[in-house]
Amino acid sequence: MSDHYVKVKVQLEQMKSSGEGVEKEEADIIEDEVLVASSPASVSPIQASGTPAAQRETPKTSVTCRNQSKSRSKLGKDEKNTCTKQDSVPALQGTIVASNANSGKPVNRKDNEQQMLQIKGTGKMLQGKTETNGNTVPIHLPEDIKVGPHNKEDANKVAKRRKPVTVDTFKAKTSLEALKLSIRQLKWKEFPVGRRSACDIYWHGVSFHDNDNIISGQVNKFPGMIEMLRKINLTRAVRTMQELFPEEYNFYPRSWILPEEYQLFSTQISLAKDSDLSQKPTFIIKPDGGSQGDGIYLIRDPGDLRVIAGSHTKQSVVQEYIHKPLLIDKLKFDIRLYVLVKSLEPLEIYIAKEGLSRFCTEPYQEPSQKNLSHVFMHLTNYSLNVQSGNFVHSDSLSSGSKRTFSSVLYRLASKGVDIKKVWSDIISLVIKTIIALVPELKVYYQADIPPGKPGPTCFQILGFDILLMKNLKPVLLEVNANPSMRIEHEQEVSPGVFEYVPSPVDEEVKVGVIRDTLRLMDPAQKKSLTSYPEHQQEEMLGSPVRGTGEEGRVLPSMCLKQVFPKYTKQFSYLRTVERITALFLRFLGVKGNMRLGPTGFRTFIRNCKLSNSHFSMATVDILYIDITRRWASMLPDSREAGMGLQAFVEAFFYLAQRRFKSLPLREQVVSLLEVCEAQLENQGRGDPGGALPEDSTASTRRSVSCGRTQTGRTQHPHHMSTSAPGQALSAPQLCSPATPRRASSQDYRLHQRLRPTHKGNVEN
Ligand code: ADP
């Protein structure tokens, strides 16, 4: 019986005795796959991870926000997914006077973001309800953690020799409290107002660009992550993958981008309703770049859209509403999971074993015209539900409106749910989502940190929002580039006076995530770990704190679990778009650029020997112009001219379809990749290579026109597969907009362009 199993058993026993309604124990839990945290909800908080608040050295004090009205816009606006969201952080009045974690001296911090807080001193912060919260805050290091496989003395010797790792926390914003606690636990050195010389780690609150002058060390944000995780871009990235791997990517609800796909959305809904009158789907409209439920609403008829196609309409995503979520105590809830992208190249992903479950505050009913506007029933956002009179702040980790995910899992396990399967589906969803994002992230990365130039490396904690359907299938709602790392919540202590008071649930989960992220990013750890086999590395990270100067102290075992490259074998076949990205980057030319010019595109075609007498360079130019223009109109705020990665991928798909007509899209694309890679490899070896044989099908100049491509498409079942019964999430079965998107681009428009009047646009 594994340690883990014993823990689960103990927890279940504890839950039983505490009246949690646990009836049955899940017997076949496998540690490797069930990532339940080692300090679960039902364990007493002190036992789980920490020192009671009173014993902490941290300058844990109250924050008084005077005259702050309890308006929705001011509550809990700490989760920022976009730069604009940064502005919605509550402007707290006062001055920060916090103790320096290392020296114990007060530090006056001039925060240039105008985030001015008044911290009133130690111990006295908690009043009324808050006192109880404060006393249960778990932060100490358990003494009974088993020591890892390494010699403790050796570890301590190394520890003595090493200088502490330095962390610049000047830009940490709302993560600051959790970050300070983590740094303290690790005995690292914090630089709260920055440092003249370089630090090992820079902790930014919003974006990679919070501080643009970093040329070494590691920054906790990737360039481009905020942009990529905006709702529209995430939808596009997943959709590209859905075209290639419809079944693998059916965890994302069918979505349409507004306003550009309004007509398509409208038509598809009408057709679906006409074909099956019993269908009454509901849709959720989410503004692009929105967060915390702002601007979200539900509709049952496309005519009820508040955004109608037009040039000045707000960009949004309209998404199939999952109308049968899993309920606990009749309430809808979602899961916030923290995921660390440790590196893009090679791709390394870790998932936190513990997460949060956020509950609605009004019992759930399936959507009807009457209840569509009941936000406390349909939206799980903390920032919304905290305003409901029914919101339950709880000191326990396994009750209330915000709980640990493990407490939910134990509850499900007690009812006989196969939580091992739930976890492995979630891991799979996370890995696949990141694989969808990596191509574009690589383009951003090389633009900001060109290879060969001095610059930092990056890592990032992401917040995955996941909904479990009634049938336990996880659905991706969104990914937050800046998940809230606050470990306090706001409380109104008297009319108009708010205080930040410790939130045990948040602290339990978030401090572990930050601390273990730091442990993984420890520069010395990274170097020494690479000499060990992968399976030993995790164990080592659970061993005594090395390199901290802290003798004999141990840290809890890692709450972050590596899932990639661990599961490379199962997922590497999905990394096709990354291979296309490698071609894109190769021909991009100027460092810092993110768009391919016409010459770069021609060079790509020439070097890969993709043109021939039936596919002339003139046609290539038309292809370039057509696709680039269309993408420029879809991305009106893009400042750079040229062909972006998404447009290049579209062109690549087109070329693949054209060349390998009778295969499914996925195989067409892989075949073309092999052609290109082989050609480039030959050239790398100095072999000029010959032109590849032309496609055996006789083509004419008009071969790129609508008719042919459509014919090709109808032969390939994958094109319909995103809407095939049983593959997508559930009824209603609607066609993914992806197929028509591509059909409308190259086919019709290229056909138009190939007319003689357009000759002036081409060169051969
Ligand atoms: P935001 O960034 O504004 O929080 P989300 O995409 O997370 O936007 O949506 C807000 C909430 O709406 C989610 O927490 C979830 O409760 C609900 N929600 C979002 N998308 C769906 C969906 N497709 N089906 C059902 N509920 C959804």
Side-chain angles (χ1 to χ4, degrees):
M1 193 184 285
S2 71
D3 270 9
H4 178 79
Y5 179 71
V6 173
K7 278 179 204 149
V8 170
K9 203 173 164 189
V10 169
Q11 289 141 17
L12 284 167
E13 289 303 327
Q14 286 173 333
M15 288 179 81
K16 274 181 204 166
S17 61
S18 65
E20 281 290 316
V22 176
E23 290 145 19
K24 189 167 161 266
E25 191 176 303
E26 181 77 354
D28 60 347
I29 296 165
I30 297 173
E31 183 169 22
D32 199 26
E33 296 191 39
V34 184
L35 305 183
V36 178
S38 55
S39 51
S42 53
V43 175
S44 109
I46 293 183
Q47 204 186 344
S49 66
T51 306
Q55 288 176 34
R56 266 190 261 145
E57 296 163 66
T58 321
K60 192 72 180 155
T61 50
S62 78
V63 178
T64 304
C65 316
R66 291 198 184 91
N67 303 324
Q68 205 179 43
S69 75
K70 197 175 177 178
S71 70
R72 184 177 148 188
S73 63
K74 294 211 170 180
L75 281 175
K77 292 275 181 184
D78 52 348
E79 289 191 15
K80 301 171 291 299
N81 209 9
T82 68
C83 291
T84 46
K85 284 174 209 167
Q86 182 184 349
D87 303 334
S88 65
V89 175
L92 305 169
Q93 303 301 307
T95 312
I96 288 187
V97 185
S99 282
N100 181 316
N102 297 304
S103 65
K105 287 179 195 156
V107 172
N108 282 317
R109 179 175 171 206
K110 281 186 211 148
D111 192 323
N112 63 356
E113 283 90 22
Q114 305 282 314
Q115 194 191 42
M116 296 169 71
L117 311 173
Q118 183 179 11
I119 296 181
K120 291 196 291 192
T122 56
K124 305 246 168 169
M125 59 172 292
L126 307 170
Q127 298 155 8
K129 204 173 166 189
T130 53
E131 250 171 20
T132 41
N133 283 347
N135 287 338
T136 57
V137 174
I139 288 296
H140 83 109
L141 308 173
E143 304 300 332
D144 57 348
I145 300 290
K146 70 173 177 191
V147 170
H150 290 275
N151 182 317
K152 206 166 156 180
E153 278 172 28
D154 281 357
N156 288 333
K157 271 187 212 158
V158 180
K160 275 183 200 165
R161 260 184 270 128
R162 265 192 60 198
K163 283 185 187 161
V165 181
T166 52
V167 186
D168 181 334
T169 61
F170 186 39
K171 301 283 181 178
K173 292 197 159 197
T174 54
S175 333
L176 192 62
E177 280 299 304
L179 183 60
K180 275 180 183 295
L181 291 175
S182 304
I183 294 171
R184 177 164 308 206
Q185 289 185 15
L186 294 166
K187 298 278 175 190
W188 288 7
K189 193 160 170 55
E190 182 195 354
F191 286 85
V193 289
R195 189 192 192 195
R196 225 171 266 165
S197 51
C199 274
D200 296 308
I201 292 174
Y202 296 83
W203 201 273
H204 290 181
V206 181
S207 114
F208 175 77
H209 294 288
D210 285 358
N211 178 353
D212 276 326
N213 303 318
I214 304 168
I215 51 162
S216 66
Q218 308 178 81
V219 178
N220 71 322
K221 304 283 179 206
F222 281 99
M225 190 66 93
I226 289 176
E227 290 79 359
M228 276 316 294
L229 293 181
R230 289 175 73 97
K231 292 175 175 42
I232 288 182
N233 280 338
L234 174 67
T235 300
R236 286 198 212 280
V238 173
R239 198 186 267 185
T240 299
M241 298 305 286
Q242 285 174 334
E243 284 186 73
L244 290 171
F245 308 101
E247 284 167 42
E248 288 86 339
Y249 279 84
N250 68 6
F251 57 81
Y252 191 65
R254 273 162 289 193
S255 308
W256 294 259
I257 293 164
L258 297 179
E260 72 194 50
E261 290 170 358
Y262 172 74
Q263 275 311 331
L264 188 66
F265 167 63
S266 223
T267 313
Q268 289 190 348
I269 303 311
S270 309
L271 285 176
K273 280 188 178 166
D274 289 350
S275 65
D276 179 357
L277 293 176
S278 68
Q279 276 203 22
K280 287 215 168 69
T282 302
F283 300 94
I284 183 164
I285 321 300
K286 312 180 191 185
D288 187 39
S291 68
Q292 300 179 356
D294 273 350
I296 290 186
Y297 61 98
L298 306 185
I299 58 165
R300 307 201 82 194
D301 190 300
D304 294 337
L305 269 174
R306 290 177 210 158
V307 260
I308 303 295
S311 55
H312 299 295
T313 50
K314 211 173 173 187
Q315 295 247 303
S316 325
V317 166
V318 54
Q319 197 168 75
E320 179 186 5
Y321 185 74
I322 306 302
H323 60 285
K324 286 191 190 299
L326 183 71
L327 305 180
I328 288 187
D329 299 335
K330 299 190 179 146
L331 299 171
K332 176 174 170 179
F333 67 97
D334 76 351
I335 306 158
R336 158 58 57 85
L337 270 191
Y338 297 93
V339 170
L340 169 68
V341 180
K342 185 167 174 257
S343 141
L344 284 185
E345 190 72 68
L347 184 59
E348 285 184 70
I349 308 168
Y350 289 73
I351 298 186
K353 297 172 191 176
E354 184 60 284
L356 295 169
S357 300
R358 295 146 331 165
F359 283 73
C360 279
T361 43
E362 184 181 333
Y364 185 78
Q365 286 166 10
E366 284 199 22
S368 67
Q369 206 58 45
K370 272 189 190 162
N371 68 31
L372 283 189
S373 59
H374 292 209
V375 288
F376 300 142
M377 174 189 286
H378 292 294
L379 307 187
T380 49
N381 299 80
Y382 164 79
S383 50
L384 290 175
N385 284 281
V386 77
Q387 296 174 77
S388 143
N390 296 334
F391 192 93
V392 182
H393 285 287
S394 170
D395 291 346
S396 156
L397 306 181
S398 55
S399 62
S401 300
K402 203 196 260 189
R403 311 177 194 173
T404 56
F405 180 43
S406 63
S407 76
V408 167
L409 279 179
Y410 293 126
R411 179 107 178 237
L412 296 177
S414 75
K415 298 203 159 107
V417 167
D418 182 357
I419 59 171
K420 180 181 130 194
K421 164 98 172 60
V422 172
W423 252 120
S424 89
D425 288 348
I426 288 176
I427 291 172
S428 168
L429 173 155
V430 166
I431 295 175
K432 287 173 188 170
T433 304
I434 291 179
I435 285 177
L437 296 168
V438 164
E440 198 100 27
L441 287 174
K442 282 190 170 173
V443 177
Y444 277 101
Y445 200 94
Q446 64 78 41
D448 270 309
I449 313 170
K453 278 201 169 178
T457 54
C458 303
F459 62 95
Q460 188 152 356
I461 298 170
L462 304 175
F464 272 69
D465 290 349
I466 293 167
L467 190 72
L468 286 181
M469 287 169 58
K470 197 174 176 186
N471 64 5
L472 297 167
K473 181 181 164 65
V475 172
L476 177 68
L477 298 178
E478 69 157 350
V479 188
N480 284 278
N482 291 312
S484 164
M485 284 294 169
R486 267 194 199 282
I487 52 174
E488 322 93 2
H489 62 79
E490 203 180 45
Q491 200 170 62
E492 190 168 17
V493 285
S494 57
V497 180
F498 291 83
E499 279 190 348
Y500 278 111
V501 297
S503 163
V505 179
D506 288 297
E507 189 158 331
E508 167 68 18
V509 175
K510 295 174 185 174
V511 173
V513 170
I514 293 187
R515 181 195 61 228
D516 291 346
T517 296
L518 290 174
R519 283 161 87 184
L520 285 167
M521 303 318 298
D522 177 347
Q525 193 83 273
K526 265 175 120 182
K527 273 183 217 146
S528 64
L529 278 181
T530 48
S531 56
Y532 291 86
E534 194 250 311
H535 70 273
Q536 268 189 31
Q537 293 181 9
E538 269 181 63
E539 289 171 349
M540 289 171 66
L541 285 163
S543 53
V545 185
R546 274 159 292 143
T548 64
E550 188 187 19
E551 292 196 27
R553 287 291 295 274
V554 290
L555 288 170
S557 57
M558 290 288 284
C559 75
L560 292 171
K561 163 98 183 157
Q562 194 203 74
V563 293
F564 204 91
K566 180 168 183 168
Y567 298 121
T568 303
K569 273 189 201 145
Q570 290 99 305
F571 296 97
S572 58
Y573 74 100
L574 298 173
R575 301 178 73 181
T576 311
V577 181
E578 263 182 270
R579 287 168 68 190
I580 302 176
T581 308
L583 296 175
F584 178 78
L585 292 176
R586 182 177 177 132
F587 293 98
L588 205 51
V590 187
K591 279 183 180 172
N593 206 359
M594 291 181 63
R595 300 290 173 101
L596 193 64
T599 313
F601 189 67
R602 291 182 124 242
T603 314
F604 152 68
I605 297 283
R606 277 214 182 93
N607 288 12
C608 294
K609 305 259 188 292
L610 299 182
S611 66
N612 54 44
S613 59
H614 303 304
F615 188 61
S616 67
M617 290 310 279
T619 316
V620 168
D621 288 337
I622 292 169
L623 179 69
Y624 177 88
I625 293 166
D626 173 66
I627 292 185
T628 304
R629 277 201 188 150
R630 202 171 55 79
W631 276 91
S633 69
M634 287 193 305
L635 309 169
D637 50 349
S638 71
R639 270 168 250 135
E640 247 180 275
M643 180 182 255
L645 177 66
Q646 290 171 332
F648 183 77
V649 169
E650 179 168 334
F652 197 90
F653 282 13
Y654 169 74
L655 294 168
Q657 286 173 316
R658 191 183 169 282
R659 190 174 196 111
F660 302 99
K661 294 192 172 63
S662 55
L663 301 173
L665 180 67
R666 179 190 316 190
E667 287 166 42
Q668 290 172 328
V669 168
V670 170
S671 304
L672 190 66
L673 272 168
E674 281 163 6
V675 167
C676 295
E677 287 164 354
Q679 279 299 338
L680 296 172
E681 205 181 314
N682 284 343
Q683 284 161 23
R685 283 201 231 106
D687 173 2
L692 287 170
E694 291 173 2
D695 195 302
S696 54
T697 315
S699 307
T700 65
R701 228 175 115 79
R702 287 190 293 123
S703 64
V704 284
S705 72
C706 185
R708 291 189 65 92
T709 315
Q710 292 287 20
T711 311
R713 198 166 269 128
T714 50
Q715 288 165 2
H716 306 321
H718 78 272
H719 279 294
M720 297 309 292
S721 52
T722 42
S723 58
Q727 285 182 342
L729 297 164
S730 63
Q733 288 147 13
L734 302 167
C735 190
S736 159
T739 306
R741 172 171 68 97
R742 298 217 191 282
S744 68
S745 65
Q746 63 256 32
D747 305 338
Y748 171 74
R749 288 160 194 259
L750 278 173
H751 183 68
Q752 296 298 308
R753 289 232 158 256
L754 286 165
R755 289 164 190 245
T757 47
H758 291 269
K759 266 186 181 166
N761 289 333
V762 298
E763 69 181 78
N764 199 352

